[in-house]
C-alpha cells in the first residue's frame, strides 16, 4: 500500500518539530503558534496541528485550554526521573557503542569534540548543541540497537527545551566538553567501562546545572 502525500507530509512535519524540540529550539513555557510554524516550514497549518497534537500525546508538549500548545516546564522531581533514565539508557548505549565503533567513526567523534571546543570558545550554544547531538548519536548508533536509540531520543524530547540554558553560567559552560575528552581517552585505551562512566559524568554535570532551571516539586 502506498503512503499518501498528506500522510508523508505529516510525518515529515512531525519529524522536524520533534528534532527542533530535542535541540532546544524553544524554551520551557513558550507557546507554539501553528500559523508561524506553518509559514516557517512552508506547509499548511493542518500537518503542523497534527504534529503538535502527536507530540502532546507523547507528553513532549502540553495542550493548554484556550491557549494552544506550550512547551512544558519540568519540576525537579520530573527532571530527576528523566536524568536517571538517561544515565541508564545512554550509559548502556555508550558501553556497547565503544566496543563496535569503526576507525572512521572514532575520527568523527574527535572532529565533533573539536567542534564543541570551538563552539564553547565562541559562546555559540547552537553550534555546541548541534555538535553534541551528533557526537552522542554517533556513539549510540554504534551500539547496534535501534530500539535503545529510539528510547534515548524519546527521553531527549523532555530535556531539549532547557538545554539552551547551559551557557548562562560561564564557569559551567567552559567545562561542558571535559567529559567528551575523557570519553575519547577511554576509547583510545579500549576501556568501554570508562566510556560509560564518561557519559554518566557528562549527563550528571549538565544535569546538576540544568536542574536549577526546573520548578520546585
Amino acid at each position: 500500500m502506498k503512503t499518501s502525500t498528506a500522510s508523508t507530509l505529516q510525518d515529515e512535519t512531525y519529524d522536524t518539530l520533534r528534532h527542533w524540540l530535542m535541540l532546544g529550539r524553544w524554551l520551557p513555557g513558550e507557546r507554539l503558534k501553528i500559523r508561524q510554524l506553518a509559514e516557517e516550514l512552508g506547509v499548511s497549518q493542518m500537518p503542523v496541528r497534527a504534529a503538535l497534537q502527536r507530540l502532546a500525546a507523547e507528553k513532549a508538549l502540553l495542550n493548554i485550554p484556550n491557549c494552544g500548545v506550550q512547551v512544558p516546564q519540568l519540576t525537579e522531581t520530573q527532571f530527576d526521573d528523566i536524568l536517571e533514565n538517561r544515565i541508564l539508557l545512554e550509559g548502556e548505549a555508550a558501553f556497547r557503542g565503544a566496543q563496535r565503533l569503526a576507525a572512521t567513526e572514532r575520527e568523527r567523534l574527535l572532529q565533533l569534540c573539536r567542534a564543541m571546543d570551538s563552539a564553547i570558545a565562541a559562546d555559540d550554544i547552537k553550534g555546541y548543541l548541534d555538535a553534541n547531538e551528533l557526537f552522542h548519536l554517533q556513539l549510540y548508533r554504534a551500539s547496534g540497537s535501534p530500539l535503545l536509540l529510539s528510547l534515548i531520543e524519546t527521553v531527549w524530547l523532555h530535556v531539549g527545551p532547557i538545554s539552551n540554558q547551559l551557557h548562562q553560567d560561564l564557569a559551567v559552560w567552559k567545562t561542558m566538553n571535559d567529559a567528551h575528552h575523557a570519553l575519547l581517552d577511554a576509547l583510545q585505551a579500549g576501556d568501554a567501562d570508562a566510556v560509560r562512566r564518561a557519559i554518566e559524568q557528562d549527563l550528571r554535570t549538565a544535569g546538576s546545572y540544568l536542574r536549577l532551571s526546573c520548578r520546585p516539586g
Side-chain angles (χ1 to χ4, degrees), residues 12-30:
E12 290 175 352
T13 302
Y14 166 79
D15 289 341
T16 298
L17 295 181
R18 188 175 188 267
H19 189 232
W20 285 356
L21 192 59
M22 284 193 295
L23 285 180
R25 175 108 178 214
W26 306 292
L27 295 174
E30 188 172 346

Side-chain angles (χ1 to χ4, degrees), residues 21-202:
L21 192 59
M22 284 193 295
L23 285 180
R25 175 108 178 214
W26 306 292
L27 295 174
E30 188 172 346
R31 289 186 191 176
L32 303 186
K33 299 178 180 179
I34 293 176
R35 179 179 298 176
Q36 181 179 328
L37 290 172
E39 290 175 356
E40 191 171 356
L41 291 167
V43 300
S44 69
Q45 294 184 32
M46 186 166 61
V48 173
R49 184 178 290 106
L52 293 179
Q53 291 304 314
R54 188 171 167 185
L55 288 166
E58 295 174 355
K59 308 300 183 183
L61 294 173
L62 291 177
N63 265 322
I64 308 297
N66 304 317
C67 292
V69 179
Q70 187 179 64
V71 179
Q73 293 179 297
L74 295 175
T75 65
E76 292 172 342
T77 300
Q78 289 172 326
F79 182 81
D80 291 343
D81 185 37
I82 291 168
L83 179 60
E84 289 307 312
N85 279 284
R86 288 192 69 188
I87 289 170
L88 287 171
L89 294 169
E90 295 182 46
E92 180 63 21
F95 176 79
R96 296 186 190 185
Q99 300 173 75
R100 299 166 62 104
L101 279 167
T104 54
E105 294 170 327
R106 291 170 183 258
E107 179 61 29
R108 178 60 174 153
L109 288 181
L110 177 59
Q111 293 171 359
L112 290 168
C113 190
R114 289 170 177 166
M116 284 185 277
D117 279 334
S118 298
I120 289 173
D123 199 26
D124 177 6
I125 182 64
K126 182 181 184 302
Y128 174 84
L129 290 175
D130 287 348
N132 181 66
E133 182 198 24
L134 292 174
F135 183 97
H136 285 257
L137 284 175
Q138 181 82 69
L139 178 60
Y140 300 161
R141 282 174 178 153
S143 71
S145 174
L147 177 57
L148 182 55
L149 182 60
S150 177
L151 291 171
I152 289 169
E153 289 182 332
T154 297
V155 176
W156 282 356
L157 283 173
H158 300 281
V159 291
I162 63 173
S163 61
N164 267 315
Q165 300 172 64
L166 280 171
H167 71 308
Q168 292 183 359
D169 186 315
L170 187 61
V172 175
W173 177 234
K174 295 300 183 183
T175 68
M176 287 314 303
N177 211 22
D178 291 357
H180 298 136
H181 283 287
L183 188 151
L184 291 175
D185 290 341
L187 277 176
Q188 184 67 27
D191 189 343
D193 286 314
V195 169
R196 184 201 294 270
R197 289 194 297 271
I199 284 293
E200 292 174 349
Q201 183 59 45
D202 181 36

Side-chain angles (χ1 to χ4, degrees), residues 74-76 79 162 210-216:
L74 295 175
T75 65
E76 292 172 342
F79 182 81
I162 63 173
L210 292 176
R211 191 178 190 273
L212 300 175
S213 302
C214 298
R215 294 186 290 111

